[in-house]
Amino acid sequence: MTSLPDMTTPNVAGLARDAAAHARPVDVPTPDAGQEAVFEFLLRIGDNALILGHRVSEWCGHSPVLEEDIALANQALDLIGQCQLWLGLAGEIEGKGRSADNLAYLRDAWDFRNALLVERPNGDFGQTLMRQFLFDAFHIEQLRALKASADPRVAEIAAKAEKEAAYHLERSADLVIRLGDGTEESRARMQAALDLLFPYTGELFLDDATDEAVAEAGIAPLPSSLKPAWEQTVAAVLDEATLIHPGEVYQHKGGKRGVHSEYLGFILAEMQFLQRAYPGATW
Amino acid sequence: MQGATQPDVAEVWRWLSEVPDPEIPVISLTDLGIIRDVEWQGDTLVVTVTPTYSGCPATTIINLDIEKALRDRGIEKLRLERRLSPPWTTDWLTEEGREKLRAYGIAPPVDGTAADGRLIGRAARLAGTSNLVIACPRCGSTQTQKVSQFGSTPCKASYRCKDCLEPFDYFKCI
């Protein structure tokens, strides 16, 4: 059982602050890329984790069965934890004193850089799982490639996150297969979810000037380079799930440059309310 | 000023081996393998800790527990450092820790069974060649079944024993 922090222990918060204030700065070689491009790249990967983590956490207490409720909450935790690492590094690289919390709670929708896929509403359980699977299959390839990043801070976060993402993919793929190759009802729902969400996957693999700058510096892979492996995983799983691949369809885009769907604003309204209404509130 | 009375590093390790994990109090932080380094830098004791899962809610509590344990032993100048790399792995759980887990009713991690995201485990199971055997921590039966990839904490999965019918947690390999 989790033991809660003992709030009566003298000055525990003070000790923690003291420890944080004396954290030793890590001596890291500066990779050869514009700081702005690296910051932008870190927002993209951090915001994907943050927004998907928030979406998944919306299931807490509402899932079809207890085990799924727990699994979804755990995945949300992993993603929020990863987001803290990515946005923490983004703030450090930006050098304007913004923490991960600042970036999560005090930016408005147009400053968010997550892909449109992760802000899609949860829909039914099938849509949530399909969104998770399509993202996980991308996420694992992205993290694997980032383990070889020229920036050791990026590489070490990726190495940690990859292990967690592997469990996410194993679970989401397994459930897509079981529900796709399931009853008439579950198969119909999974096919509908796939048809609905597939048009939001193309954006994950688009390259722009930021991607080219960070790829040039060896910090991150070009998104397009991740597509063949993603397609292979998706095709194999859909095949086993007896689902029909939507093929070449229109692809929505905009999230990674800050042009979002109407859904993001609602997510932020809920997520940021406390810090907006009571700036600097802590507990 | 600690000076001549500065306790040696082995002594500090012993103290840390008595600090329980806040989520699974039968094992200690050193059993869990998350204390990566203990060293004196001048008059400051530096303890390097690696997180288990990125989002593990116990991480903050663990840091507070370490602080408290060492302050209680009279350490005045203390600094905790986070080290992400190499990432924590269940391979670092001590043998003793694994036995304590089993006795507590949690199946300890089995080496080499971590997910790799490529469905190798599933393929192996389908082909009937899986070597993933999670023994029931209560009766020892290997006739067990996964209920969910995720359990009561991020580090565990839910299993059920088909012989003694008990549900149990399995500490996942990562």
Side-chain angles (χ1 to χ4, degrees):
Chain A
M1 287 294 103
T2 310
S3 53
L4 290 170
D6 176 9
M7 295 305 179
T8 59
T9 304
N11 200 21
V12 164
L15 295 176
R17 270 197 299 277
D18 191 45
H22 292 93
R24 199 168 31 161
V26 186
D27 189 23
V28 184
T30 312
D32 186 24
Q35 173 186 295
E36 252 173 65
V38 181
F39 176 68
E40 181 80 6
F41 159 72
L42 289 167
L43 289 186
R44 288 174 179 181
I45 189 166
D47 288 347
N48 275 347
L50 176 61
I51 299 303
L52 186 58
H54 185 85
R55 270 293 188 226
V56 174
S57 78
E58 290 173 7
W59 275 102
C60 191
H62 300 275
S63 303
V65 289
L66 182 62
E67 285 77 10
E68 286 309 314
D69 204 291
I70 292 170
L72 288 163
N74 270 318
Q75 282 190 8
L77 264 181
D78 285 344
L79 289 166
I80 300 291
Q82 293 168 16
C83 150
Q84 270 182 323
L85 298 173
W86 292 124
L87 293 187
L89 180 56
E92 193 183 309
I93 283 177
E94 188 194 31
K96 293 181 184 167
R98 288 205 280 182
S99 66
D101 279 354
N102 284 160
L103 289 168
Y105 293 126
L106 302 177
R107 278 178 302 150
D108 215 328
W110 47 79
D111 290 326
F112 271 75
R113 295 291 181 263
N114 59 281
L116 297 176
L117 176 69
V118 299
E119 69 196 46
R120 295 295 304 167
N122 284 338
D124 62 14
F125 189 62
Q127 285 175 31
T128 292
L129 281 175
M130 186 58 77
R131 182 187 61 199
Q132 192 69 40
F133 167 64
L134 295 171
F135 179 78
D136 290 344
F138 155 78
H139 199 200
I140 194 95
E141 300 303 337
Q142 184 185 36
L143 294 171
R144 277 194 182 125
L146 286 173
K147 288 201 297 184
S149 174
D151 187 325
R153 297 168 299 184
V154 171
E156 69 176 8
I157 297 173
K160 179 136 203 68
E162 184 217 6
K163 291 167 161 237
E164 295 159 0
Y167 272 107
H168 300 176
L169 176 58
E170 192 165 286
R171 172 177 173 277
S172 61
D174 186 56
L175 284 170
V176 164
I177 292 168
R178 280 202 269 167
L179 291 172
D181 187 17
T183 65
E184 206 176 307
E185 168 81 14
S186 73
R187 185 181 180 282
R189 284 187 184 230
M190 295 312 280
Q191 186 66 53
L194 177 63
D195 295 341
L196 178 73
L197 295 168
F198 204 77
Y200 294 91
T201 55
E203 184 185 18
L204 300 171
F205 306 102
L206 289 179
D207 302 335
D208 66 11
T210 296
D211 297 312
E212 278 155 17
V214 290
E216 185 71 21
I219 292 170
L222 272 180
S224 59
S225 71
L226 306 172
K227 198 165 187 191
W230 177 83
E231 277 183 336
Q232 208 178 352
T233 307
V234 168
V237 170
L238 294 184
D239 186 50
E240 211 182 321
T242 74
L243 296 173
I244 297 158
H245 194 295
E248 294 288 322
V249 293
Y250 177 79
Q251 295 290 336
H252 299 275
K253 55 183 182 291
K256 63 191 272 186
R257 54 188 169 88
V259 182
H260 292 278
S261 66
E262 67 272 33
Y263 301 113
L264 184 65
F266 289 95
I267 296 175
L268 297 186
E270 184 173 312
M271 190 173 80
Q272 298 182 335
F273 168 78
L274 194 98
Q275 283 300 327
R276 297 291 193 176
Y278 306 96
T282 57
W283 67 82
Chain B
M1 187 60 238
Q2 282 145 356
T5 61
Q6 183 167 300
D8 70 19
V9 166
E11 183 72 10
V12 176
W13 275 102
R14 266 194 299 282
W15 295 340
L16 292 172
S17 74
E18 291 165 13
V19 180
D21 173 75
E23 298 262 17
I24 312 168
V26 288
I27 56 171
S28 72
L29 300 185
T30 54
D31 285 332
L32 198 54
I34 59 171
I35 309 290
R36 300 314 297 158
D37 201 14
V38 175
E39 65 164 340
W40 286 100
Q41 289 178 4
D43 60 355
T44 302
L45 181 66
V46 180
V47 178
T48 305
V49 187
T50 193
T52 52
Y53 282 70
S54 308
C56 182
T59 307
T60 321
I61 312 299
I62 286 171
N63 286 346
L64 290 177
D65 287 348
I66 294 172
E67 290 249 13
K68 186 168 185 318
L70 297 180
R71 300 279 181 206
D72 287 351
R73 303 280 188 162
I75 303 290
E76 287 167 15
K77 291 199 171 177
L78 172 66
R79 192 171 69 231
L80 292 184
E81 288 189 357
R82 181 186 74 185
R83 186 186 294 166
L84 290 182
S85 185
W88 180 77
T89 161
T90 40
D91 292 349
W92 294 346
L93 254 93
T94 61
E95 272 310 311
E96 201 190 344
R98 286 164 199 260
E99 279 317 307
K100 287 181 193 166
L101 282 176
R102 203 189 317 271
Y104 187 61
I106 298 173
V110 181
D111 287 344
T113 59
D116 82 344
R118 288 192 194 275
L119 300 180
I120 287 173
R122 183 179 170 84
R125 278 197 303 283
L126 291 173
T129 58
S130 174
N131 61 355
L132 175 52
V133 176
I134 311 297
C136 171
R138 293 172 205 279
C139 72
S141 165
T142 52
Q143 299 298 308
T144 59
Q145 186 181 24
K146 181 163 77 186
V147 177
S148 175
Q149 186 73 275
F150 294 84
S152 54
T153 63
C155 55
K156 287 177 279 177
S158 300
Y159 271 71
R160 176 166 47 218
C161 176
K162 291 199 265 188
D163 280 331
C164 75
L165 305 181
E166 281 285 332
F168 64 90
D169 273 339
Y170 160 59
F171 202 112
K172 286 185 296 203
C173 270
I174 192 169

